Amino acid sequence: MKKYSVVLSFLFVVVVSFAFSGCTQQSAYSVSMSQAEANLTVGGELSLTVKAEGFTADSVEWASSDTAVATVENGLVKALSPGNAVISASALAPDGKTYKAVCELSVTEAQETAADCTVEYYKQKKDRSGYERDADLTETVSSVAGRTVSVTPPALTGFEFSDDNAANVLSGQVASDGSTVLKVYYDIQVITVTFSSEVDDDILRYVDYGDTLTDIPAVPDKPGYSGVWDVTDFSSVTAPFTVTAVYSEEYYSVNLTIVPEQVNVAGTDYGFYEFDADDFTGLTASVQKDGEQPVTLTVTMSGNVTAENSASERIRLPFRAGT
């Protein structure tokens, strides 16, 4: 009886111990990566996911062991340069522990495929009706498929880059079939010629590069003066410049010719060539050249006739009795 009692006591202890150990056993937690290994070429991308066992991973912390080789954000891996990197994902489990899964990544150089692209240049038509391609300027550029290429508009004589033209295509990714075309548009360069004078505001005229300016404004009037522009040749204009009005004082020289007749001046009769210059003092006359304002003449004590404004030519004024 004692033998059976000892056995039963032992079994009881074993059963009770097993029961208690079963009640305190914890669940198994772990995380795993969608890929344990991966290979990428430079510029390539890979999307990784994490699976949590025994719990829900509310947040996952991603990291790369070498960010010069590859970076990772929310599971998206981007290969930057040749080399090896370990991409890891960590999650906090309910037991307060952090569980981690990794992916061994190898990055190699991408194999390049040679490809060409075309650069076309378009010039504005003289009549401003549009643009036409300049076949002599069009060029083929050697590059690599998938690479982004761009063009810096060069300076063209007589033209200006049309920077606000929506038709410009200054950059693009090179297609492997060589179909990529960049386009650069130019407008005709317009030259400004400024006409300046001391009596009026500046006058502006515009001419296409290399053309002759024909719309020459008149020199602004300055009373008592005649004016001319200091530039007379407006052919083949290729740069902006200023034209200045130069004024010179006007004067008239008037000769009075007395014909051989009796002349009455200021109530006094004079015979042929017989007159006293003093009698002409204060007398005035007016002459007018075609298309110009009248010029007032005044007889001086010396018998000469002077004008209030000037001219470069002599005027012969006949003086007859009764006129």
Side-chain angles (χ1 to χ4, degrees):
M1 288 295 293
K2 289 183 178 180
K3 183 178 180 180
Y4 288 110
S5 178
V6 172
V7 172
L8 288 174
S9 297
F10 176 77
L11 291 175
F12 176 77
V13 173
V14 171
V15 171
V16 171
S17 299
F18 179 78
F20 276 105
S21 65
C23 292
T24 59
Q25 184 181 5
Q26 294 179 340
S27 301
Y29 300 132
S30 66
V31 292
S32 60
M33 192 85 72
S34 56
Q35 287 184 231
E37 296 180 351
N39 296 308
L40 289 177
T41 57
V42 174
E45 295 182 353
L46 172 66
S47 181
L48 295 174
T49 59
V50 170
K51 181 180 180 182
E53 295 288 348
F55 71 102
T56 300
D58 294 327
S59 63
V60 177
E61 183 177 348
W62 293 90
S64 169
S65 64
D66 191 340
T67 54
V69 174
T71 60
V72 60
E73 184 176 357
N74 296 326
L76 179 62
V77 180
K78 295 183 178 180
L80 304 180
S81 64
N84 298 307
V86 176
I87 306 300
S88 63
S90 302
L92 182 64
D95 61 1
K97 296 181 180 180
T98 298
Y99 293 84
K100 183 169 68 174
V102 298
C103 174
E104 300 285 346
L105 177 66
S106 176
V107 179
T108 57
E109 285 282 8
Q111 185 177 0
E112 295 183 337
T113 301
D116 295 335
C117 72
T118 303
V119 182
E120 297 179 342
Y121 296 88
Y122 291 82
K123 294 179 178 179
Q124 188 177 40
K125 295 180 180 179
K126 191 67 175 176
D127 61 4
R128 270 60 170 185
S129 63
Y131 297 81
E132 55 187 358
R133 184 173 67 89
D134 190 323
D136 293 335
L137 292 177
T138 297
E139 57 183 336
T140 299
V141 178
S142 298
S143 187
V144 174
R147 182 175 297 175
T148 298
V149 294
S150 60
V151 58
T152 300
L156 296 183
T157 302
F159 292 86
E160 296 177 328
F161 171 58
S162 182
D163 57 355
D164 59 350
N165 195 320
N168 284 315
V169 181
L170 303 182
S171 65
Q173 192 174 59
V174 179
S176 59
D177 61 358
S179 61
T180 302
V181 178
L182 304 184
K183 299 182 179 182
V184 187
Y185 283 77
Y186 290 85
D187 293 327
I188 295 173
Q189 183 180 2
V190 178
I191 305 299
T192 301
V193 179
T194 303
F195 291 82
S196 179
S197 70
E198 61 187 70
V199 297
D200 206 348
D201 294 335
D202 288 350
I203 304 171
L204 303 182
R205 290 292 187 266
Y206 306 95
V207 58
D208 287 353
Y209 181 96
D211 285 358
T212 298
L213 178 64
T214 57
D215 185 17
I216 311 301
V219 179
D221 289 334
K222 180 180 180 180
Y225 293 81
S226 61
V228 295
W229 297 119
D230 64 352
V231 175
T232 58
D233 184 4
F234 297 94
S235 61
S236 301
V237 179
T238 58
F241 62 95
T242 298
V243 184
T244 304
V246 179
Y247 292 95
S248 57
E249 189 174 4
E250 293 180 328
Y251 66 92
Y252 288 91
S253 178
V254 179
N255 293 329
L256 293 180
T257 300
I258 307 301
V259 297
E261 296 181 9
Q262 184 176 357
V263 179
N264 184 284
V265 178
T268 302
D269 292 332
Y270 293 90
F272 177 56
Y273 294 137
E274 294 179 359
F275 63 91
D276 187 343
D278 290 343
D279 292 327
F280 290 93
T281 301
L283 296 180
T284 61
S286 178
V287 278
Q288 182 177 4
K289 295 173 63 179
D290 291 342
E292 294 187 5
Q293 294 296 320
V295 178
T296 300
L297 306 178
T298 301
V299 180
T300 66
M301 288 293 293
S302 62
N304 296 322
V305 180
T306 62
E308 293 183 2
N309 56 337
S310 64
S312 59
E313 59 183 288
R314 296 172 64 84
I315 297 177
R316 180 171 292 279
L317 181 66
F319 188 93
R320 293 178 179 273
T323 62

